[in-house]
Amino acid sequence: MEARVLVAYATRYGSTAETARKLAECLERDGVHAEVRPVGEVKELRPYSAVVVAAALYIGKLHKEARHFLAVWHDELSRVPVALLVPGPVEAQEKQFQSAEEQLDRELARVPWLHPVARKVVGGKWDPTKLQFPFNWTLKKIPASDARDWNVVGAWAHELAEKLQTMTH
Ligand SMILES: Cc1cc2nc3c(=O)[nH]c(=O)nc-3n(C[C@H](O)[C@H](O)[C@H](O)COP(=O)(O)O)c2cc1C
């Protein structure tokens, strides 16, 4: 069976949507058919042989809509390979990545039924002009940054494509 992957994303400020689209583009280049949708617009999972959930971290938690998506689609997601793409660190600093990995570990401990076949914390984007209350008051002085690295996303897509092709054959 040919792998048909859904990349379902949850975003507050838009950058995770772009990262999800880049992932899908790279998967397609590696021969895996990939469709991208916001988690809230997913109507069925039956057509897909695997699902990637792309959700950023906010104050130590995965995007609320992504957590809701996991809960709602629990049964279907238990039957297909699930991978997680998690933007977080907004500076390319090892300490930020380490902390994001720990946050993700804690989030995954809340969904013990979920056994991702792959997970990747990637750089995120910080745009203080888009922040809403109360963060526009408390965090607005942190300068804008973009730690997204398409080479990293592409390399992970390559590994993931190989894994999914093996798993769905
Ligand atoms: C209010 C706020 C809180 C955040 N908290 C975390 C965090 O706890 N851990 C982390 O790694 N990144 C954190 N980030 C960085 C985001 O994950 C990053 O900006 C991401 O790219 C946002 O995705 P989006 O543009 O799709 O909303 C935070 C960002 C914001 C705006």
Side-chain angles (χ1 to χ4, degrees), residues 65-84:
E65 288 172 17
R67 288 183 276 134
H68 181 69
F69 175 79
L70 293 176
V72 167
W73 294 98
H74 164 283
D75 290 355
E76 292 79 357
L77 292 172
S78 304
R79 289 194 282 268
V80 289
V82 176
L84 295 177

Side-chain angles (χ1 to χ4, degrees), residues 10-17 56-61 63 87-90 96 99-100 103 123-126 131 135 139 148:
T11 184
R12 247 194 228 179
Y13 304 105
S15 70
T16 304
L57 288 161
Y58 307 91
I59 323 286
K61 292 200 177 304
H63 192 297
V90 293
Q96 284 203 16
S99 153
Q103 292 176 338
K125 184 178 178 186
W126 177 264
L131 296 178
F135 304 118
L139 302 173
R148 293 173 302 168

